[in-house]
Amino acid sequence: MEKLQNIRIAVDAIVFGYKSNGLYVLLIEQQFGSSEKYWALPGGLVKDDESLNDAVIRELHEETNVQLTFMEQLYTFGDDIHRDSRNRVISVAYYALVDASSLEIKASTDAERVQWFKIDEIPPLAFDHNLILKKGTERLKAKLTYEPIGFDLLPEEFLFSDLENLYCTILEKEIERRNFRKKILSFGIVEETENYSPIKTGRPAKLFRFNKLKYKELIEEGIHFEIKFA
Amino acid sequence: MEKLQNIRIAVDAIVFGYKSNGLYVLLIEQQFGSSEKYWALPGGLVKDDESLNDAVIRELHEETNVQLTFMEQLYTFGDDIHRDSRNRVISVAYYALVDASSLEIKASTDAERVQWFKIDEIPPLAFDHNLILKKGTERLKAKLTYEPIGFDLLPEEFLFSDLENLYCTILEKEIERRNFRKKILSFGIVEETENYSPIKTGRPAKLFRFNKLKYKELIEEGIHFEIKFA
DNA sequence: ATAGTTTGCGTTAATTATACGCAAATGTAG
DNA sequence: CTACATTTGCGTATAATTAACGCAAACTAT
C-alpha cells in the first residue's frame, strides 16, 4: 500500500510592468499568523480540479486586477524543502507582462495591499520569493533579446523612443538609437500608424504598432529575431 | 479550516545519449495493472523530505545506471488534469545528458526493461510522456545553439568530426565543416590533445577536449557562445 | 604506385554590425 | 521674429563577421 504524499503544490506569479522610469513588479502584502506582514508574489495553492495555468489566472484575478498580455511558466521551486516553514510546498512559478500604462490594480480581501515595486527597490519577500524574482528577471532579460516580448509591456501604439528606452532600462545597456531603429524596422514586424505622439518636445514622432500576425508569419518562414548589444 | 489537496507530485527525466548514427533517449518498460505494458520516461513520485533534484537522481539510479554529465529542469506538466488517469499527478520534468559511448545500463526491479530508443523511433509512451519528450527535444536543440552542452554527449576526448556530426544530426541541418571548425576553435574553449584517433581511415585526426573551466572564465568576460546555421 | 578518404589550413566575396553625420520639425527663450 | 535646444528620421563609410570554396597533407586499401 502506497503512503500518500504530504506535499502541497502552489503557483506564484511575477507580473512585470514597465513605466518610463523603470521596470516594476506587482507585489501583495500578506499577513502571517497574528502580526507579521510580508510582501510576496501573488499566488496560492492549486485546486484539485484546476490546471496550473487556471490557478495562476485565478490567483491573479483574486488578488489583483491586471490584464495580462503575456504569461509563461518560469521554473518550479522545490529543491529547498523548507522554503515554506510551515509545510512542504512546491511552487510552480510563472511570469507575466502587462501594459502598466493603462492599468488600475485593486486590493481585494485576500491581499491587504497591492503595489508596484521598482525592480531595484524590492523589499525582503516572503518564502523564497526574492529568489524566484531573481530568476524571473534574468529570464525576462534573456527573452527580450530573442523574442519580441517588449511590445507586451507597451501600449498598442508607442514611440520608437519608448521601445528603445524599454530595452535600455531592462537590459541595462546603452543602445545606438539609429541602429536600433534600423534593426527593428528591418524585421518588418513593426508598422507605423498615422498617429502622432502628443508629446510637445522636439520633432513630432509617429506612433508605431507591433504586428503580431506578421511576426508569426515570419517565424514560419524562419526569421530569427534577435536584439544584441555590445 | 483548510481542505488538504489531493494532488501528487512526480518527477520524470529525459536522458539523452548520442551515438554516431543518431540521438537516443532512455526509456523503461513499466507494467500497469495486470497486463498492460508501456514504455515510459524514468521517474516517479517525490518523497516528502527529498528535493526535486534528489528525486530525479534517485529515480534514475533505481531504474537505470547512468552517469549524468548534465541535468536541468525542463518544464512542469500540470495543465492536463487527467494526464494520469488514476490520480491527479503533476510532473516536474527534467532532461539530462550522458556520454552514451561508455555506458552500461541496468534493468532493476522497478523497471523490467531499460532501453535506448532512437529519437525518431519512439513508441507511444505512458501518460503524456510523448509530449514531455517533444518539449525536451526542442529544448535540447535550442540549448545546443547557445550553450556548449554538446560536449556532454561526447567522451572526454573526441574528434572534430564527431562534434560536427553531433550538431548535424541533432539539429537536422547541414554544416560547412571548415567554418564550423574555425568557429568552435575561435571561442577558445576546445583544446587539442596529443592523442590521435584510432580510426584507420583517411588522415589521422587529433583528439580534442572541451575546457569547461576556460568556458566559465570566458563567460565571466562576456563572450557569447552561439552556433548558427543557414 | 594509385585511388579513395578524411583532416587541417587557407582565401575571397557577401553580408551584417558599428559608428557616426546631418537635415527636418517642433517648442521655447529672448 | 529669430536663434537655440531637442528629438526624430534617414543616410553613409568603415569594421567585423559569415558563408562558400580551394587544396595539400596524411593516412589505408588495392
Side-chain angles (χ1 to χ4, degrees):
Chain A
M1 190 62 191
E2 193 190 315
K3 187 177 157 292
L4 213 67
Q5 279 177 323
N6 186 29
I7 307 179
R8 270 151 258 241
I9 179 113
V11 289
D12 288 300
I14 305 172
V15 178
F16 287 112
Y18 171 78
K19 306 183 201 183
S20 53
N21 51 342
L23 182 65
Y24 288 77
V25 176
L26 206 58
L27 297 178
I28 60 169
E29 193 172 45
Q30 277 180 327
Q31 183 106 27
F32 284 95
S34 54
S35 62
E36 290 199 89
K37 283 183 178 179
Y38 271 102
W39 288 100
L41 297 171
L45 294 180
V46 178
K47 294 188 192 298
D48 287 351
D49 59 349
E50 165 184 70
S51 75
L52 290 176
N53 218 80
D54 289 349
V56 183
I57 301 294
R58 176 180 52 76
E59 292 285 355
L60 279 178
H61 192 75
E62 281 173 16
E63 295 173 348
T64 71
N65 200 25
V66 293
Q67 185 77 30
L68 304 183
T69 50
F70 172 91
M71 188 174 89
E72 190 177 77
Q73 192 182 297
L74 171 63
Y75 195 77
T76 296
F77 293 80
D79 280 333
D80 180 0
I81 298 176
H82 304 290
R83 51 180 294 283
D84 185 327
S85 55
R86 302 163 299 183
N87 296 293
R88 172 94 196 261
V89 182
I90 290 172
S91 167
V92 185
Y94 284 72
Y95 72 110
L97 307 180
V98 299
D99 165 18
S101 69
S102 64
L103 194 66
E104 43 154 338
I105 53 178
K106 71 169 178 191
S108 73
T109 42
D110 266 47
E112 306 190 21
R113 285 203 287 160
V114 185
Q115 202 175 297
W116 285 109
F117 282 80
K118 212 170 177 180
I119 196 67
D120 51 5
E121 296 168 6
I122 304 288
L125 303 179
F127 315 119
D128 56 355
H129 285 191
N130 284 293
L131 182 66
I132 297 179
L133 187 52
K134 182 161 176 280
K135 189 143 191 148
T137 309
E138 279 163 16
R139 178 86 133 256
L140 174 64
K141 283 185 186 181
K143 195 112 183 168
L144 208 56
T145 67
Y146 63 86
E147 267 181 47
I149 58 169
F151 304 109
D152 291 310
L153 287 165
L154 292 175
E156 271 290 299
E157 304 195 347
F158 54 86
L159 296 174
F160 239 104
S161 46
D162 289 340
L163 187 64
E164 181 200 323
N165 276 316
L166 186 150
Y167 271 86
C168 285
T169 61
I170 296 181
L171 299 179
E172 300 172 285
K173 292 262 173 80
E174 299 275 301
I175 329 188
E176 215 294 289
R177 181 177 59 86
R178 291 153 291 187
N179 291 336
F180 177 77
R181 185 193 182 97
K182 243 182 299 186
K183 177 132 208 176
I184 296 283
L185 286 176
S186 76
F187 291 124
I189 58 177
V190 164
E191 57 205 21
E192 73 180 47
T193 69
E194 62 293 5
N195 304 328
Y196 281 80
S197 147
I199 294 169
K200 292 281 174 248
T201 170
R203 175 171 169 173
K206 285 176 198 137
L207 288 167
F208 290 81
R209 189 188 352 237
F210 173 55
N211 189 335
K212 200 161 197 165
L213 231 71
K214 189 69 183 290
Y215 174 65
K216 284 183 183 164
E217 273 176 42
L218 291 171
I219 282 296
E220 297 291 314
E221 293 170 30
I223 66 145
H224 180 61
F225 179 87
E226 187 169 29
I227 305 292
K228 280 190 302 190
F229 300 110
Chain B
M1 190 61 192
E2 193 192 315
K3 186 178 157 292
L4 213 67
Q5 279 177 323
N6 186 29
I7 306 178
R8 269 151 257 240
I9 180 113
V11 288
D12 288 299
I14 305 173
V15 178
F16 287 111
Y18 171 77
K19 305 183 201 182
S20 54
N21 52 340
L23 182 65
Y24 288 77
V25 176
L26 206 57
L27 297 178
I28 60 169
E29 194 172 44
Q30 276 180 326
Q31 183 107 27
F32 284 94
S34 54
S35 63
E36 289 199 271
K37 284 183 176 179
Y38 271 102
W39 288 100
L41 296 171
L45 294 180
V46 178
K47 295 189 191 297
D48 287 353
D49 59 349
E50 162 185 73
S51 74
L52 289 177
N53 218 81
D54 290 348
V56 183
I57 301 293
R58 176 180 52 76
E59 292 285 354
L60 279 178
H61 193 75
E62 281 173 15
E63 295 173 350
T64 72
N65 200 24
V66 294
Q67 185 77 29
L68 303 183
T69 49
F70 172 91
M71 188 174 88
E72 190 177 77
Q73 192 182 300
L74 171 63
Y75 195 79
T76 296
F77 293 81
D79 280 334
D80 179 0
I81 299 175
H82 304 291
R83 51 180 294 282
D84 185 326
S85 54
R86 302 164 298 183
N87 297 293
R88 172 94 196 260
V89 182
I90 289 172
S91 167
V92 185
Y94 284 71
Y95 72 111
L97 306 181
V98 300
D99 166 16
S101 70
S102 64
L103 195 65
E104 42 154 340
I105 53 178
K106 71 168 177 192
S108 74
T109 41
D110 266 47
E112 307 190 20
R113 286 204 287 160
V114 185
Q115 201 177 296
W116 286 108
F117 282 81
K118 211 170 179 183
I119 195 68
D120 51 5
E121 295 167 6
I122 303 289
L125 303 179
F127 315 120
D128 56 353
H129 285 190
N130 285 290
L131 181 66
I132 297 179
L133 187 51
K134 182 161 177 281
K135 190 144 190 146
T137 309
E138 280 162 15
R139 177 84 133 259
L140 174 64
K141 282 186 186 181
K143 195 111 182 171
L144 207 56
T145 67
Y146 63 85
E147 269 182 45
I149 57 169
F151 304 109
D152 290 311
L153 287 165
L154 292 175
E156 270 291 302
E157 304 195 347
F158 54 87
L159 296 174
F160 239 105
S161 47
D162 288 340
L163 188 63
E164 182 200 324
N165 275 316
L166 185 150
Y167 270 86
C168 283
T169 61
I170 296 181
L171 298 179
E172 301 172 285
K173 293 260 173 81
E174 298 275 302
I175 29 181
E176 214 294 288
R177 182 178 59 87
R178 290 154 291 188
N179 291 337
F180 176 78
R181 184 193 181 98
K182 242 180 301 185
K183 179 132 205 176
I184 295 284
L185 287 176
S186 75
F187 290 125
I189 56 178
V190 165
E191 56 204 22
E192 74 179 47
T193 70
E194 64 289 8
N195 304 327
Y196 280 80
S197 149
I199 294 171
K200 293 277 175 249
T201 169
R203 174 171 170 175
K206 284 175 199 139
L207 288 167
F208 290 81
R209 193 194 343 243
F210 173 56
N211 190 335
K212 201 160 195 164
L213 231 71
K214 189 70 183 289
Y215 174 66
K216 283 183 182 163
E217 272 177 43
L218 291 170
I219 282 297
E220 297 292 312
E221 293 171 28
I223 66 144
H224 181 58
F225 178 87
E226 187 170 27
I227 306 291
K228 279 190 302 189
F229 301 110

